Amino acid sequence: DEPSTWPLGCMLYIVGSLVINFGQILIRLSHLAEASGKSRRGYLLWSLGAGLFAGGDAVNVVGLNLAAQSLLEALGSVQFVSNLLLSAWLLREELCRRHILSTLLIIAGNILIVAFGDHHTLKITLPRLIDMATAPHFVTYVAIVYPTALVLGILEHVVRRRIAARSVLRTIALGS
């Protein structure tokens, strides 16, 4: 008998999800820093947040190799819990009773999923993973989504700069 790897897969997936959420919070903080004129701090926070997001995703991939996807994807809801706590702590957002109750229900659901969910793992070999990654549908998806996200990110940056420049010009015109 092979030793069961699903507990380790669950732990890795939860850690990965928490790291992803922390990365998202840092990205949100970077936007707030840039809005307050601290663009260097914003860039550093964004870079750290994006790196943590990518690292958390990598940890999730390892977790997915050790436990059943049906078990782990449901555990991804732990991000809602960490988002509530991190938003209150880092973003100073208010905690409502409704949020706390919802979080407790998510925790209870996660406990039930781990206790009664499918613990069997379908192993995917490296050659199979390479086949899936080079499949025409996946390559088409990546070829569309990633350049689109890059163009949208650049477009957002350009629009924000133009809006900021107009705001400065308006302030100068009104102030004179």
Side-chain angles (χ1 to χ4, degrees):
D1 275 337
E2 272 186 44
S4 183
T5 59
W6 72 265
L8 178 60
C10 287
M11 286 189 297
L12 286 173
Y13 201 82
I14 289 171
V15 167
S17 295
L18 294 174
V19 170
I20 287 170
N21 190 253
F22 187 63
Q24 290 172 322
I25 295 289
L26 289 179
I27 290 170
R28 174 74 176 126
L29 281 173
S30 78
H31 294 298
L32 294 174
E34 285 189 12
S36 67
K38 300 175 184 172
S39 61
R40 177 150 172 78
R41 182 171 186 249
Y43 176 76
L44 291 172
L45 284 170
W46 187 90
S47 298
L48 180 60
L52 286 172
F53 188 96
D57 247 353
V59 172
N60 280 356
V61 168
V62 174
L64 282 166
N65 242 344
L66 299 173
Q69 182 178 357
S70 59
L71 180 64
L72 297 182
E73 285 303 323
L75 286 178
S77 64
V78 77
Q79 287 184 354
F80 296 117
V81 177
S82 64
N83 188 47
L84 176 79
L85 300 174
L86 290 174
S87 294
W89 177 49
L90 294 173
L91 299 175
R92 308 277 191 252
E93 292 182 0
E94 186 179 337
L95 284 179
C96 300
R97 181 178 298 185
R98 177 180 77 234
H99 296 141
I100 294 169
L101 178 61
S102 301
T103 301
L104 291 173
L105 288 173
I106 289 170
I107 291 169
N110 282 337
I111 290 169
L112 291 173
I113 288 166
V114 172
F116 301 108
D118 182 14
H119 297 147
H120 295 91
T121 305
L122 174 63
K123 297 289 183 188
I124 298 176
T125 63
L126 184 58
R128 175 69 181 129
L129 190 60
I130 291 170
D131 286 344
M132 291 189 304
T134 57
H137 290 94
F138 183 73
V139 171
T140 302
Y141 169 78
V142 170
I144 292 170
V145 169
Y146 282 89
T148 301
L150 180 65
V151 167
L152 288 174
I154 291 169
L155 184 61
E156 178 195 19
H157 181 73
V158 169
V159 168
R160 283 181 185 265
R161 289 191 92 150
R162 286 188 180 172
I163 290 171
R166 285 183 189 157
S167 177
V168 168
L169 290 175
R170 198 173 301 128
T171 302
I172 291 170
L174 292 175
S176 328

